[in-house]
Amino acid sequence: MTENAIIELQRVGKWYGHYHALRDVSLSIGKGEKVVVCGPSGSGKSTMIRCINRLEAHQSGNIIVNGTELTDDVKSVETIRKQVGMVFQNFNLFPHLTVLQNLTLAPIWVRGTAKAEIEEVALSYLDRVRIRDQAYKFPGQLSGGQQQRVAIARALCMRPQIMLFDEPTSALDPEMVKEVLDVMIELAEEGMTMVCVTHEMGFAKSVADTVVFMAEGSIIEVAPPAEFFGNPRSERTRQFLGQILEH
Amino acid sequence: MSKELTSRRPAWAASFEEEPSQAMVPPPALTALKPFGWARNNLFNSRLNTALTLSCLAILWFAVPPMLQWALLDATWTGTPEECRAAEGACWSIIAAKHRPIFFGTYPYEEQWRPLLACALFLVALGVSAMRACWRPWLVGVWFGCLTAMGALMWGGVFGMTYVANDRWGGLPITLMLSVFAIALAFPLSVVLALGRQSGLPAIRALCVGFIELMRGVPLVSVLFMASVMFPLFLPEGVTVDKLLRALAGLTLFTAAYLAEAVRGGLQAIPKGQYEAADALGLGYWQKMMLIILPQALRIVIPPIVNQFISCFKDTSLVTIVGLYDLLTAANIATTDPEWRPFFGEVYVFVGLIFWGFCYSMSRYSQWLERESNKFNRR
């Protein structure tokens, strides 16, 4: 796996003051692999994926994304961020820009794409997330589910090789979860490399190639979903699954 | 049932269509809006309120009629100082007699059409810049042309106009130029200071915090003194910086420090997620700030920023202490004529009205700007 890994975490450590957020996290993700990261809150899941595009800086170990090692060097961060798209729990759309402007801003300023060209691309992405008719509205005029789909389209407009999802459905009303998951499933079917922190176990079962379980800043278990849900190895995993699958 | 209610609703209620629960609430009884009922409900609804209402009316009764008597009814509108002395009321003829030195100070009398034209040009340029439809690249050209023309008019020495050194300028042109240039220069500087204060680089942060705290901790008068008296001492032999320019620098730096704190307030109000989204998309620091953060942050702080603009406009009158003749100083000097001396009060009222006019325009403009910038920004 290691030879053709697109994301490689090697003994990554991170502290917030004295709080040890990540403890020797090692993980290797192959091209086109779909990884679902789950675990109780405070287990370091979000911190881990936010380290992958340097929204948080790791303090020990190595992170290598698509052949570039992530260091304090601004160049390496720039290179990696251009290849990694991210979707946040709270959408984080830019409220002062229209939906279309949200999508085209980064391609125009970061990649230097011509405006007319990227607008066409952006509209086709909006089509794919079934929201083209809202292109000229402002984010504040959209529902949560619509906003999150715009956020996914915005990340895709940068043509990333990897997509990170940080609890993409946690801030949504229940009836809007499905429309966002549907878009994510389509994306997975197209072969995108995806790392997704989520509590949607249904999504994990149907889409993931690998499920990563974290607790207290460490990776406890890495397994294919069938094995993870059917025959978890560690006691901590069984306990967690027992809690969330109870309902 | 609900259909019936809908049809009986007044026309204005149609805008609440999407919130049916609100539309069901009947509009407030119309009787409450009639003056008599309104006064009873709002002004005389308790003993305390009745007492307060009556005392306010009494104060108005004692203050307003004598004021009107002085300012309008008994006032002398055209007349000599002698006629003014004989009359009881205000002597507005001093304005007619002294408006030239009030507006233009010691600028050569025959040449005063030049500062007048320069001020008119300046105000037109400001008016044009205030309109949204004119926020185009050509506006830069308009300003370039305007400033060149103003310079030519004020200094002269070209096109057969006599040269007038800028120590003879005074009155309204000085007030307008100082305040507008100070505001125009202080604003970008304040944004840089505010960003610097939030910078991750300790040296830059310390520099910005130090500057802001120094400027805020010192009265404007001493900043102006420093700029005017101390600053030349640090310059190498033979290098001089114009007095007007030095005062402008002092005023700019002082205003920038205060503005920077207002801008910082806006920066802090922007959720962390906006910074992260911009980072994740790969935007660089300046792109992130100019495209994402500042457009949102500055919108929030329009009221405190305009507050500072207004304050800066009025502060220009302090340049008198370094020997510049702004509008207020020019007016002050205009009243030294012994004949008209007793009527200095009227001149101050007049100048006060001019200041108020400018400040009130700014205030109204800021309200418009706030509405305009939030039109599409419904969260």
Side-chain angles (χ1 to χ4, degrees), chain A residues 26 73 100 118 148 219 228:
Chain A
S26 295
D73 181 21
L100 189 61
I118 190 61
Q148 194 60 300
I219 292 183
F228 180 81

Side-chain angles (χ1 to χ4, degrees), chain A residues 50 81 93 96 109 140, chain B residues 274 276 279 287 291 376 378:
Chain A
R50 288 158 61 89
R81 280 180 180 166
L93 294 177
H96 62 301
W109 289 90
Chain B
Q274 294 288 309
E276 289 180 348
D279 284 339
Q287 290 174 336
L291 298 169
F376 304 107
R378 282 173 268 169

Side-chain angles (χ1 to χ4, degrees), chain B residues 311-369:
Chain B
S311 169
C312 173
F313 183 80
K314 293 186 292 180
D315 282 348
T316 51
S317 54
L318 286 173
V319 296
T320 179
I321 61 135
V322 293
L324 291 171
Y325 300 104
D326 77 302
L327 184 60
L328 190 61
T329 316
N332 208 356
I333 293 169
T335 60
T336 48
D337 182 343
E339 266 196 292
W340 291 101
R341 185 67 200 149
F343 309 109
F344 63 89
E346 285 82 339
V347 171
Y348 286 137
V349 170
F350 177 65
V351 172
L353 281 174
I354 295 174
F355 270 98
W356 180 81
F358 280 109
C359 295
Y360 186 65
S361 317
M362 280 195 261
S363 158
R364 289 310 300 250
Y365 182 65
S366 102
Q367 284 172 20
W368 174 83
L369 200 61

Side-chain angles (χ1 to χ4, degrees), chain A residues 50 53 55-56 81 84 86 88 92-97 105-106 109-110 138 140-141 154-155 158, chain B residues 272-284 287 291-293 295-296 299 376-379:
Chain A
R50 288 158 61 89
N53 67 349
L55 288 185
E56 308 281 353
R81 280 180 180 166
V84 180
M86 185 156 198
F88 298 88
N92 295 347
L93 294 177
F94 306 129
H96 62 301
L97 301 175
L105 183 104
W109 289 90
V110 179
F138 286 84
Q141 295 164 295
R154 176 175 72 177
M158 282 295 281
Chain B
K272 204 167 151 247
Q274 294 288 309
Y275 291 85
E276 289 180 348
D279 284 339
L281 283 168
L283 293 170
Q287 290 174 336
L291 298 169
I292 308 298
I293 306 302
Q296 296 183 60
R299 257 168 235 216
F376 304 107
N377 192 17
R378 282 173 268 169
R379 288 197 190 225

